Amino acid sequence: MQCIRVPTARDRLLDPMASEWSGVAGEAIALGATPLANQPSEYVKASRNEDDVGKVRNVMVQTAHDGNEIFIRLSWEDAQKNVEVTETNMFPDACGVLMPLNGDDAPIDEMGSQGAPVNAWYWRAGAEDEAHNMVAHGLGTTRPAASATIEARSVWGHGAWSVVFARALAGEPEAAVDLAPGRSVRIGFAVWEGSNGERAGIKSFSKEWRELALQP
Ligand code: HEM
């Protein structure tokens, strides 16, 4: 997966609907249910059926950088826009990306491990776009990590979400993957379908890491 370098203004790249995105080649990534066996909560294990987990099975991914910031655009079909908790089983739609913080051996299906942490970027639908930088050392350990600012913009229309994440390329080793031009990093993707009661560990995800190469 190529992250091309573009001369485009940041306010255009941050806009999920900007015409410039139609010139950035994308990759359709297949998503699957998170395994029930990996859910750290006994309640979740007992109350969910794996066949009903991970309603969104495809996400289109496009990426670009301008030498200072990286922009990652995720889009997926979703007939129902969910922006709030409306009933006990309804949650906001959301998406995220995952990258190993150091080394290549972090397990994607357990959100890293004690020795191989991962960096997650998290966007959640709401009145205002909320985006968070997070670190996990395996299941049940996901925590916000304040040291990097993730911005996100989203648009829902014609039965689909389009979300752009933006972050400065340079990152702190403990809590934010360093994304220098010319580097290659591993990356994974996840989508939560709010109308299907999806939140936290209940979601669909890319079952294998992809290699994201940042154009020098
Ligand atoms: C590329 C794949 C993945 C991404 C991008 C990702 C991203 C995230 C993010 C951003 C959160 C915080 C959301 C919140 O606060 O509600 C989270 C939480 C969580 N995720 Fe993942 N995740 C991925 C794969 C998985 C897999 C395969 C599992 C296995 C069941 C899993 C289990 C969990 C659990 C249980 C939580 C709740 C917090 C915790 O217990 O640590 N994730 N994930």
Side-chain angles (χ1 to χ4, degrees):
M1 187 177 267
Q2 293 294 321
C3 177
I4 56 166
R5 187 193 270 260
V6 292
T8 316
R10 90 176 291 273
D11 62 324
R12 299 294 295 162
L13 291 169
L14 205 48
D15 176 358
M17 290 297 129
S19 54
E20 284 84 347
W21 280 111
S22 57
V24 177
E27 197 174 315
I29 306 278
L31 305 176
T34 44
L36 264 196
N38 288 5
Q39 298 295 342
S41 151
E42 290 306 323
Y43 168 76
V44 170
K45 270 189 197 158
S47 59
R48 301 288 308 216
N49 175 344
E50 200 168 297
D51 295 343
D52 301 328
V53 171
K55 208 164 169 212
V56 176
R57 290 300 165 112
N58 249 294
V59 65
M60 175 61 76
V61 179
Q62 296 161 281
T63 68
H65 77 85
D66 60 9
N68 296 310
E69 274 179 287
I70 187 169
F71 301 85
I72 302 182
R73 181 179 189 272
L74 305 186
S75 48
W76 67 97
E77 284 178 22
D78 184 351
Q80 191 177 344
K81 178 185 186 186
N82 302 104
V83 296
E84 56 189 2
V85 181
T86 46
E87 297 168 27
T88 50
N89 59 348
M90 296 274 267
F91 294 91
D93 297 322
C95 68
V97 306
L98 203 68
M99 290 172 268
L101 265 172
N102 46 40
D104 283 347
D105 55 352
I108 195 169
D109 57 350
E110 295 180 3
M111 291 192 73
S113 64
Q114 270 311 318
V118 292
N119 184 197
W121 301 0
Y122 179 46
W123 165 85
R124 201 176 191 216
E128 291 187 18
D129 285 316
E130 252 187 84
H132 303 278
N133 189 57
M134 309 185 93
V135 170
H137 291 77
L139 298 168
T141 68
T142 316
R143 301 282 177 272
S147 55
T149 302
I150 313 288
E151 272 185 77
R153 298 280 188 283
S154 63
V155 173
W156 184 89
H158 304 290
W161 276 112
S162 301
V163 176
V164 171
F165 286 102
R167 204 206 76 185
L169 288 174
E172 287 179 27
E174 295 297 308
V177 174
D178 194 34
L179 296 165
R183 266 199 81 185
S184 226
V185 294
R186 291 188 140 193
I187 192 162
F189 307 94
V191 175
W192 288 259
E193 173 50 66
S195 67
N196 191 37
E198 298 188 10
R199 65 191 186 286
I202 299 290
K203 58 197 157 194
S204 50
F205 79 116
S206 55
K207 297 199 170 188
E208 275 129 38
W209 294 114
R210 301 298 199 286
E211 207 70 33
L212 179 68
L214 283 87
Q215 191 176 353

